Amino acid sequence: AGRARGGGARAHARSPAEHQHGRYNPLRDDWVLVSAHRVRRPWHGQLERPPSEDVPRWDAQNPLCPGARRAGGQVNPPYEGTFVFPNDFPALQPDAPEPDAGDHPLFRAAAARGVCKVMCFHPRSDLTLPLMSLAEIRAVVDKWAELAEELGAAYPWVQIFENKGAMMGCSNPHPHCQIWASSFLPNEARLEDRTQREYRSQHGVPMLLEYAEQEARRKERLVVENEHWLVVVPYWATWPFQTLLLPRRHVCRLQELRQDERDSLASIMKKLLIKYDNLFEVSFPYSMGWHGAPTGPHLEEDCGHWQLHAHYYPPLLRSATVRKFMVGYEMLAQAQRDLTPEQAAERLRSLPEVHYKQRPE
């Protein structure tokens, strides 16, 4: 009987697509519960409203459009490419006062200063990154690198991030992102700094450089690749169609990318985002952001344990109207997902690289 039970356990271990199991995330030093069989359960929960497909090319009432007036009264210039301006409602300001440090270890406070900027990708509101040309996406990459270097000269952390779609809290359909530079390392940055530092100390190689090499060889979670980059659904992914964008070369910061790497970055971003849109034939919502080595005073330190990467976190699960909620068990215990990363990668990998809006009739 003991042998029979043991054999059954081994059989279950060979079928991760059918049986629940935990996966370790070395980048965050935590675990995710994978319960692929749950994706077959019927859904009677909340249904989302798909995003509108009839966004006007230009709207005088849209504060991100060229020539439009923003909330603070400023009028945007008639820009024709990217456009960067200070956030009219910044979460961080450079001259914030020093807080009271607190009189007890359970009531601590610290200074939080910085700047917040908004970057429009394109003058047209009816375009998103996957519908832009490679040259236009390359201009976005160059501006990201320029801002990372400019703000990174003074601030320890520069967070470039895009919230796409109302489902992810985006209040404006115009294609844009935000850049927040802070006087401190945020939680995720501190965590990734520690885990990557520990991994290189123990294994002698940057974690995500080795991870990219492993995924390129195994291919089971690979979504798209080119000469300089690859996109995978990470082994430890928590969101259903989460992806990780990785360079093949060891590079610490966005501003260190070569010209050819920037060209191929624009190309692989376009391919990934077309696949996202094609999955449910909808403008796919997500939050994405770049993580690279800290800057400011850290520019003089050894940050060789860092590897540049971008996270994409989309919420959709089964269709354009059914999303994944991180509640209950996820909030109180640990993250849980309803299909394996391998299944998600296969679905994305098999999708066409021509946008559904641009296919011939």
Side-chain angles (χ1 to χ4, degrees):
R3 285 194 298 273
R5 285 195 297 271
R10 285 193 295 274
H12 286 190
R14 289 194 293 270
S15 306
E18 295 295 328
H19 301 281
Q20 67 270 12
H21 61 285
R23 295 194 183 191
Y24 179 64
N25 181 347
L27 194 57
R28 299 198 75 260
D29 189 21
D30 63 10
W31 291 78
V32 56
L33 173 63
V34 182
S35 311
H37 57 286
R38 277 171 49 88
V39 79
R40 296 191 294 267
R41 75 193 193 281
W43 180 261
H44 301 292
Q46 177 173 319
L47 298 179
E48 306 295 331
R49 184 188 297 262
S52 173
E53 297 282 343
D54 59 351
V55 176
R57 177 179 295 199
W58 185 86
D59 181 357
Q61 303 305 310
N62 186 329
L64 298 187
C65 282
R69 186 178 299 276
R70 303 203 306 272
Q74 302 90 338
V75 176
N76 297 331
Y79 65 92
E80 298 180 352
T82 60
F83 170 53
V84 179
F85 63 91
N87 194 312
D88 294 319
F89 303 96
L92 294 165
Q93 295 178 323
D95 54 356
E98 192 81 20
D100 184 348
D103 59 359
H104 190 279
L106 295 178
F107 302 93
R108 296 169 60 190
R113 301 185 180 94
V115 296
C116 298
K117 295 180 180 289
V118 176
M119 172 183 163
C120 296
F121 296 153
H122 197 280
R124 285 176 54 176
S125 293
D126 59 339
L127 289 184
T128 55
L129 282 170
L131 293 171
M132 290 165 54
S133 71
L134 288 176
E136 290 167 338
I137 300 173
R138 168 62 196 266
V140 170
V141 170
D142 285 340
K143 183 57 69 172
W144 279 344
E146 178 185 322
L147 289 167
E149 184 169 24
E150 173 191 324
L151 296 172
Y155 289 99
W157 189 255
V158 180
Q159 184 60 65
I160 299 169
F161 65 97
E162 178 192 5
N163 294 326
K164 180 171 178 276
M167 195 181 298
M168 299 310 293
C170 181
S171 59
N172 193 301
H174 196 92
H176 70 286
C177 72
Q178 298 188 56
I179 304 95
W180 293 12
S182 61
S183 62
F184 55 91
L185 288 186
N187 293 342
E188 292 297 311
R190 287 190 293 109
L191 181 56
E192 288 193 3
D193 185 67
R194 175 178 66 80
T195 57
Q196 290 180 97
R197 187 185 299 275
E198 290 174 352
Y199 191 92
R200 189 182 68 160
S201 176
Q202 295 169 10
H203 301 279
V205 62
M207 177 200 296
L208 292 181
L209 180 63
E210 183 168 34
Y211 179 67
E213 293 170 351
Q214 287 287 323
E215 290 286 30
R217 180 171 59 83
R218 296 170 186 249
K219 297 193 181 304
E220 56 190 326
R221 285 168 295 274
L222 191 66
V223 174
V224 63
E225 64 179 331
N226 62 23
E227 181 183 0
H228 302 108
W229 300 86
L230 68 156
V231 175
V232 300
V233 177
Y235 178 78
W236 52 78
T238 56
W239 292 95
F241 294 98
Q242 173 182 337
T243 55
L244 185 63
L245 172 57
L246 294 161
R248 296 182 185 273
R249 178 177 71 92
H250 183 206
V251 54
C252 293
R253 299 178 179 92
L254 198 58
Q255 55 267 40
E256 297 168 9
L257 294 175
R258 302 187 307 245
Q259 298 300 313
D260 55 347
E261 291 170 327
R262 297 185 186 197
D263 284 338
S264 57
L265 174 56
S267 175
I268 203 166
M269 283 174 54
K270 184 176 177 72
K271 290 181 179 180
L272 169 65
L273 298 179
I274 286 175
K275 286 178 178 291
Y276 269 160
D277 281 9
N278 284 345
L279 180 61
F280 300 130
E281 295 199 346
V282 68
S283 185
F284 205 71
Y286 58 75
S287 282
M288 71 79 65
W290 285 100
H291 282 175
T295 49
H298 303 281
L299 290 170
E300 303 302 319
E301 300 174 359
D302 176 13
C303 291
H305 54 288
W306 269 90
Q307 175 73 329
L308 176 70
H309 58 282
H311 297 281
Y312 284 83
Y313 297 126
L316 293 179
L317 172 59
R318 301 183 184 205
S319 70
T321 61
V322 178
R323 68 179 297 182
K324 167 70 175 178
F325 289 91
M326 290 291 187
V327 295
Y329 189 85
E330 291 88 354
M331 294 177 71
L332 297 165
Q334 69 181 40
Q336 179 270 333
R337 60 180 291 123
D338 290 349
L339 76 164
T340 68
E342 294 75 26
Q343 292 168 331
E346 171 57 29
R347 289 189 64 183
L348 291 172
R349 185 168 57 242
S350 64
L351 291 165
E353 294 183 359
V354 176
H355 198 277
Y356 72 93
K357 289 184 176 181
Q358 298 175 329
R359 293 176 196 157
E361 293 295 335

